[in-house]
Amino acid sequence: MLVKQPDIWRRFDLACVDFKTWKHFTDGSNSHIYKAKCAPSVLSLSHSTASHSGGEGARRALQPGLKVIIKALKDSELQNPIALKEFDSERELLASIRHANILQFLGSGVDLCDGLKKASGDSPQSSKPSSSERGVYRGNSMQSMLQGRAKIYPRPFLVLERLNGGSLALLLSQHQQKNTRLPPLRALQICQQLVLAVDYLHNHFHRDAVLIHRDIKPDNIGFDDQGAFLLSNVTILLYLLCSLLMV
């Protein structure tokens, strides 16, 4: 029997089987964090956006082989309506952020607990859903496949861009080991891009709201394959209405 959940699942259109080579590498307060790659079955979803800096915030469509980060809700939170609502609010917030210097939100999905546990094991490709199960994963009627099964709690997950160019912390550590310094021009470029990202969150995300990152540090400043700056760990953003700040 499927345990009834809110209608938020209609906004989660991916499944864990759309990703392969899962590797757990850390945990958040309410979630497990995985590294993975998009499988051939992944949907070609594109969230094209425009950045505050005036250029096109080229959010990449999910495509086979693309390396991603996946944040999935923990087992202990699957029956917690508050945790589910917060997770959906986080999804909506991340999907609304549109800036070239901020880590990209690529999509979201919902899966059955047992499906994700199988997919996150040593052989994720061994977990193959039936056609009826894929219908469930795609947001169709979940009741059609759950006759005679035990209680199942859908598990939501978020898909984020994965940075392959290392972090500022790693870059600074490499310079320290070589007893060298970050070139002044490169340091200025990083500071300029950081200011643009923070200015967007504080002043341009919404006319009636402010986003506060709360954890800007070298570990949360990363680079893509081309060395472009990206502010990461945006899942801890604090959302404040300007009307509350003026009280």
Side-chain angles (χ1 to χ4, degrees), residues 107-146:
S108 55
V110 61
D111 209 342
L112 308 179
C113 296
D114 53 352
L116 183 54
K117 286 180 179 177
K118 291 177 183 178
S120 59
D122 294 332
S123 301
Q125 56 269 45
S126 65
S127 178
K128 300 293 185 181
S130 65
S131 57
S132 61
E133 286 178 318
R134 284 203 68 82
V136 170
Y137 296 142
R138 293 301 180 215
N140 297 333
S141 173
M142 291 189 178
Q143 301 296 337
S144 62
M145 60 155 288
L146 296 173

Side-chain angles (χ1 to χ4, degrees), residues 171-190:
L171 181 60
L172 294 175
S173 175
Q174 290 172 343
H175 278 284
Q176 185 177 27
Q177 292 173 4
K178 297 176 182 178
N179 199 25
T180 59
R181 294 184 177 181
L182 189 66
L185 181 59
R186 181 57 173 152
L188 286 173
Q189 290 172 338
I190 292 173

